[in-house]
Each structure stands twice: as C-alpha cells, then as structure tokens.
Amino acid sequence: MLKGQRILLIIGGGIAAYKTLFLIRRLRERGASVRVVMTEAAGEFVTPLSVGALSENPVFTSLFDLTQEHEIGHIRIARDTDLVVVAPATADLMAKMATGLANDLASTVLLATDKPILVAPAMNPAMWTHPATMRNRATLEADGVRFVGPEDGEMAERDEAGVGRMAEPEAILAAIEKQLGTGGVLAGRHVLVTAGPTHEPIDPVRYIANRSSGKQGYAIAAAAVRAGANVTLVSGPVDLAPPAGADVVNIRTADEMRDAVLAALPADVAIMAAAVADWRVDGAVEQKIKKSDDGGLPSLNFTENPDILATVAQLQDGRPPLVVGFAAETENVVDNATKKRGRKGCDWIVANDVSPDSGVMGGGRNKVHLITDAGTETWPDLPKSDVADRLVTAVAKALDTNT
Ligand code: CTP
C-alpha cells in the first residue's frame, strides 16, 4: 500500500507516455497522491486533461507559467514529494539530468529536487545502446538515480526490436514500492528461483531434455517481484517472456545452472522449480553424429548431473536460510516427496503429481502439497500464479519468523 506517499511523476515525450496513464491509476488505487509534470514533447502523446483527470491534481507543464508558479513554485514541486519518477525517460531527458541542464520545468525540477529519483527509460534500441546514453546512465547511477527497465521487446516501430521498451506499469510500480520501502511482504529480500528444463547436448544439434514449460517457476519469480523482492531467475530454455523486474540468467545445461545458482548467492530463499536433467551424455561430441552406412546405431553413455538443490541445501557456507525444492512425481506423491526432502536436505518441498493425465506439465494449473517440518499441507487445484502467490506468502512468513 502507498497510502500517504507523494509521487512526483515526470512524463517525457515518447510513445510510452500512454502507459504512464495506467501507472497513475495504479498509484491512485494504492492510495498515493500523484502530482505530474509533463515536458512539452509529452503533450504530443498524452494530454494534460487526461493526466489531470487520472491524477486528480493539476498538471504542470511550463516553467514560466505565472499562474502555475503562483499556485506552487517549481522548487516546492521538486521538494514536496517522497519520490520523483521519470517515465518515460527519453534519451534527451537522461542527457539533461546527467549534465545538470535546467531549461524547462521537468529538467529544472529534476535539478532542484533533494528526493530520490527513479527513472524508467524508453527509447529506440540504438539510442539506448549508444555510448552517450550509456555514459549518461552510468553518471546518473553514480549520482544515486535508480533505474527500472528498459526491457527487451518489440518497439513502436514494428521492425525494430531490442532493449529500449519502457518497463510495464506493474514493474514500475514494484520499483516504486521497493524504493519507498513500502513494498510487499518480501521487500528487501533476495529470492533465487530456478525454472524450466535443462538441455543436455548429444552433439551440436541434438539434446536430451524433459517436458518442463517453466510456467510455475516463472510465476513464482513474478509473484516474488510483486511482493517487492530482488529476484534472480536462473532459467533453462523456455518459451516464456521474462518476468518484468526479475534479473534473468539464461542457461542451457545443469552444469551451467549450478554455476549460475552458486554465483547468485547469497539469497534469503532459494526456490528450485527447475526440472533439471538427471543425466548428461558422457562425451558429447563437437560434430553432428552421422548415420552409419551399415545401419549401426549410436550408443549413448550417461553421467549423473550435479544435484543443484542438494548442493545448495547442504552448503556449509552461505546456505540460504530457506531452501525450497520441488518434487515432480507420477505416483505415491507425498511419500516420495517426503523422502526426497530428507535425502536432499531442503527445508520445504512442493510436491506435485505430474502424471500425464494430471495436465500439470505445460498446463496453467497445479495441485500441490507443501511439505515442511510442520507436516503436509494440501492445496486446492489452482492457477500456477495463485500457487506462486501462496508460496511467496508462506516464504515471507517463514523469513519474518526466522529474523
Ligand atoms: N534438482 C536439482 N538438480 C538435479 C535434479 C533435481 O536441483 N540434478 C531439484 C529440482 O529442481 C527439484 C528437486 O531437485 O527442486 C527434485 O527434482 P526431481 O526431478 O523431482 O527429483 P530427482 O532428484 O530428479 O529425483 P527422481 O528423478 O529420482 O524422482
């Protein structure tokens, strides 16, 4: 909740300006008061009328408007707030901020404020990756300015893709809550999640894998972001959009997943939802294996992969205070999962039935049992996002009791 929090939103001139209308609405729903400054260019994309109607406050547009100055001077606009949010932050606005220019109301307020600033850039990918913008970003970061996004994805110019799209309003909201320390139940926590399958190469074009879609792990990462956590998601190859606001580390093999997980520590909780391949092919070859003329079949030898969950759960140094495993079972679900929990040394295990008629693999729903020291809780059949929210709530409660 943001009740009583004052947000000064500076809208720059970019097509993403329309998304800030949704942001204003979300902020108002959560009880924040929103005052808006629009640059002149922003007025080409959204009108002060619609912004004013949503923010329920007058909108400020010009430095030399005497009526506005009379109502509230620009120095007060800059100071009477808890957080300044710049969305969309254009390359031009970032450059002005980095050099300390003050030639319109937005840049003057940004120079005059003594409050924290959160920036949501939006621009063409070539402009974002330009050395000048990267320099400005580094300068701003060194000045203590926080960033949310930009994200990878399709741009308004349809044939352009790359990093530059403004973070979605939900992600900006999560960043605002985090910045104000009012974020959800996991504010200030580092949550490490693994998701998806691993691919173990046979040769450069073939691999062995499993049917994991990654949906449950991605839903957990998204729920943890919503709850205000810093989230690292170590993901195998999946066909899902990265959850906004999470740091995603893409890996392919179990070995790579283990390295990425260990590199992401320390964490307050590790939630291992990945379906790691148990075996890899011993001596995967560099060149494609060809069919032999005499019809002979290739044979594969396997080596066991590292057990990432067990490795983390049994760390002597730097073990997360809470380690949560998953157990995908096709029979005797609770029994097998309980044994797995003991064998691997994790604190909790989330067990589910993945037999083909359960529809869990690749589907949108999940029916799980949460096995802890306190016993087994059986949850109803729920959408994976609800399972994720419940798990995040339980994790937050456990971490709060621990510390
Ligand atoms: N896991 C892991 N590393 C592995 C295998 C599994 O980290 N090499 C983790 C999974 O992410 C999951 C838990 O261990 O959290 C259980 O995975 P599961 O595939 O159910 O168990 P296995 O250890 O593979 O046991 P089995 O195949 O015998 O059921």
Side-chain angles (χ1 to χ4, degrees):
M1 273 310 188
L2 291 169
K3 224 176 178 55
Q5 300 285 341
R6 299 162 307 163
I7 309 289
L8 174 64
L9 174 64
I10 297 185
I11 307 183
I15 183 79
Y18 80 91
K19 286 200 213 168
T20 57
L21 298 179
F22 299 97
L23 176 63
I24 296 170
R25 168 162 282 167
R26 299 279 170 279
L27 287 166
R28 296 289 299 132
E29 281 167 2
R30 281 166 175 72
S33 72
V34 183
R35 193 177 266 166
V36 181
V37 168
M38 287 171 58
T39 64
E40 200 183 331
E44 303 291 330
F45 299 93
V46 287
T47 68
L49 197 64
S50 47
V51 171
L54 285 168
S55 65
E56 299 169 79
N57 256 325
V59 177
F60 301 94
T61 49
S62 164
L63 187 55
F64 302 110
D65 183 323
L66 286 179
T67 330
Q68 289 190 350
E69 274 293 314
H70 180 68
E71 244 174 70
I72 174 174
H74 62 267
I75 298 295
R76 257 190 62 208
I77 300 182
R79 305 268 166 88
D80 281 1
T81 186
D82 297 304
L83 177 69
V84 182
V85 179
V86 191
T90 56
D92 179 66
L93 255 178
M94 281 179 57
K96 281 182 181 169
M97 289 171 74
T99 44
L101 274 183
N103 58 359
D104 61 4
L105 180 60
S107 53
T108 304
V109 163
L110 283 162
L111 195 61
T113 190
D114 55 356
K115 296 298 188 305
I117 303 176
L118 176 72
V119 165
M123 65 195 75
N124 171 281
M127 292 167 77
W128 174 250
T129 50
H130 193 285
T133 308
M134 290 294 107
R135 254 195 324 270
N136 291 335
R137 177 201 183 178
T139 304
L140 291 171
E141 277 177 340
D143 289 347
V145 171
R146 297 292 178 88
F147 281 77
V148 50
E151 284 164 12
D152 197 356
E154 200 175 280
M155 308 297 294
E157 307 94 334
R158 285 195 151 270
D159 48 348
E160 291 262 357
V163 176
R165 210 168 61 148
M166 190 172 83
E168 292 302 320
E170 293 298 336
I172 301 177
L173 191 65
I176 290 173
E177 289 179 330
K178 195 155 107 193
Q179 179 78 38
L180 290 171
T182 54
V185 288
L186 287 178
R189 305 284 192 185
H190 180 208
V191 176
L192 170 61
V193 182
T194 68
T198 63
H199 285 184
E200 308 296 334
I202 297 170
D203 67 18
V205 297
R206 305 184 180 94
Y207 58 83
I208 52 168
N210 58 60
R211 287 188 197 285
S212 168
S213 67
K215 283 182 185 166
Q216 187 62 78
Y218 271 55
I220 292 166
V225 170
R226 281 198 300 278
N230 286 321
V231 179
T232 307
L233 171 62
V234 179
S235 173
V238 294
D239 205 10
L240 299 171
D247 290 328
V248 183
V249 184
N250 290 304
I251 54 84
R252 221 160 49 98
T253 65
D255 263 340
E256 290 168 7
M257 182 172 271
R258 182 209 35 212
D259 293 349
V261 162
L262 294 177
L265 294 175
D268 294 288
V269 55
I271 304 175
M272 310 298 219
V276 185
D278 291 319
W279 309 281
R280 67 174 173 275
V281 177
D282 197 9
V285 290
E286 300 278 310
Q287 302 299 332
K288 186 179 169 194
I289 302 170
K290 307 297 282 178
K291 268 186 291 198
S292 78
D293 292 338
D294 60 10
L297 297 173
S299 65
L300 299 175
N301 290 316
F302 290 99
T303 305
E304 202 164 310
N305 266 331
D307 190 315
I308 303 161
L309 175 61
T311 306
V312 170
Q314 290 163 30
L315 278 176
Q316 297 298 322
D317 257 349
R319 181 195 194 273
L322 184 62
V323 178
V324 183
F326 270 69
E329 306 292 341
T330 52
E331 57 181 354
N332 305 327
V333 177
V334 172
D335 217 36
N336 281 340
T338 306
K339 286 184 191 132
K340 205 170 267 181
R341 171 171 173 255
R343 209 166 53 235
K344 303 212 182 200
C346 55
D347 304 297
W348 296 358
I349 213 150
V350 180
N352 60 359
D353 182 348
V354 292
S355 49
D357 54 4
S358 72
V360 166
M361 295 298 256
R365 302 181 69 87
N366 207 354
K367 185 170 179 339
V368 307
H369 311 270
L370 177 63
I371 303 171
T372 70
D373 269 344
T376 302
E377 263 180 43
T378 297
W379 294 357
D381 180 5
L382 294 167
K384 285 182 176 170
S385 59
D386 288 2
V387 173
D389 281 331
R390 274 191 176 220
L391 186 63
V392 158
T393 306
V395 163
K397 222 159 138 192
L399 292 178
D400 284 347
T401 329
N402 269 352
T403 50

